[in-house]
Amino acid sequence: MSEMIDYIQHMEHCLKKGQSFEWENKIYDLKQRQHRIACIKEWIEQCEVLPPNKKKEQALEKLADLILHEELCDMNAHKVRQEEYPIMSTWQIKLRQKREYNIKLADEMNLDMQSCQPPVRRKRTAWEEWSREKGEHERLLSFNPAYKLFVQHSQVKVNVVK
């Protein structure tokens, strides 16, 4: 197990220097991201076979750190489109938030960036309501004879039931 940890440390050293890494007659070009990920995955598979102990936990922790380092060093700005659950660095999160738009803004703007939201009417004041109703009443009295009969004053009819 300590031999495996030494190999992992050697792989970390090669990764930092950008050198190729050889293990079990396979040469991994650590300059290419796919080779680095494949190498780390093979190490994890090797660790899973071993019985659980403290050294195995240390080795898996170092490999997890390598994967996290690999994900955070990925400079692809469009990582979200290519991976299902991306691990983003702080600058990638800020870039994503800067590119996002409010969904309400998207509903109210068309492709020409012109406002297409429904028009909003202001509420009338009490004075405006009163004057509008008074104007309507006078207009209906002058044009509609049925309305005139309905609203005119008349005597109250009293029906007494005995």
Side-chain angles (χ1 to χ4, degrees):
M1 193 66 207
S2 61
E3 180 182 312
M4 185 174 270
I5 291 177
D6 292 338
Y7 264 114
I8 292 172
Q9 287 175 346
H10 179 64
M11 185 176 66
E12 282 180 318
H13 178 71
C14 291
L15 196 129
K16 288 179 183 175
K17 294 214 174 194
Q19 300 171 347
S20 60
F21 175 72
E22 185 176 343
W23 183 63
E24 290 186 353
N25 299 327
K26 289 184 183 176
I27 297 174
Y28 296 99
D29 183 18
L30 297 181
K31 292 178 184 175
Q32 296 179 6
R33 186 171 193 274
Q34 292 85 7
H35 287 262
R36 292 190 301 254
I37 294 292
C39 184
I40 292 170
K41 283 183 180 179
E42 283 193 32
W43 277 103
I44 289 174
E45 289 171 5
Q46 288 290 328
C47 285
E48 287 177 354
V49 176
L50 298 172
N53 61 16
K54 190 77 168 169
K55 295 274 188 181
K56 179 182 174 182
E57 291 175 12
Q58 289 175 351
L60 285 173
E61 188 174 334
K62 285 188 180 233
L63 290 170
D65 290 343
L66 281 174
I67 290 175
L68 188 60
H69 174 73
E70 187 63 37
E71 288 295 322
L72 291 176
C73 289
D74 184 12
M75 299 301 284
N76 186 3
H78 302 287
K79 190 189 299 188
V80 178
R81 292 182 184 170
Q82 297 167 352
E83 297 178 28
E84 190 171 359
Y85 298 106
I87 299 172
M88 296 187 290
S89 61
T90 53
W91 73 269
Q92 288 171 330
I93 291 172
K94 287 179 184 175
L95 181 66
R96 181 178 180 185
Q97 289 170 347
K98 190 172 87 174
R99 288 180 179 169
E100 288 178 351
Y101 287 98
N102 186 356
I103 194 70
K104 185 152 178 71
L105 180 68
D107 287 343
E108 295 173 355
M109 296 293 242
N110 63 9
L111 294 176
D112 299 334
M113 297 304 289
Q114 294 174 345
S115 177
C116 61
Q117 59 186 339
V120 180
R121 285 193 153 160
R122 69 175 180 84
K123 197 158 178 82
R124 291 185 178 119
T125 63
W127 170 257
E128 290 172 331
E129 279 293 328
W130 176 80
S131 63
R132 186 188 66 81
E133 287 174 5
K134 184 180 176 197
E136 282 292 311
H137 177 70
E138 290 170 359
R139 186 180 66 81
L140 286 172
L141 278 175
S142 62
F143 291 117
N144 195 342
Y147 182 78
K148 193 175 196 176
L149 284 173
F150 181 75
V151 294
Q152 76 181 9
H153 297 289
S154 62
Q155 290 184 347
V156 178
K157 296 179 184 174
V158 179
N159 295 326
V160 180
V161 179
K162 292 185 184 181

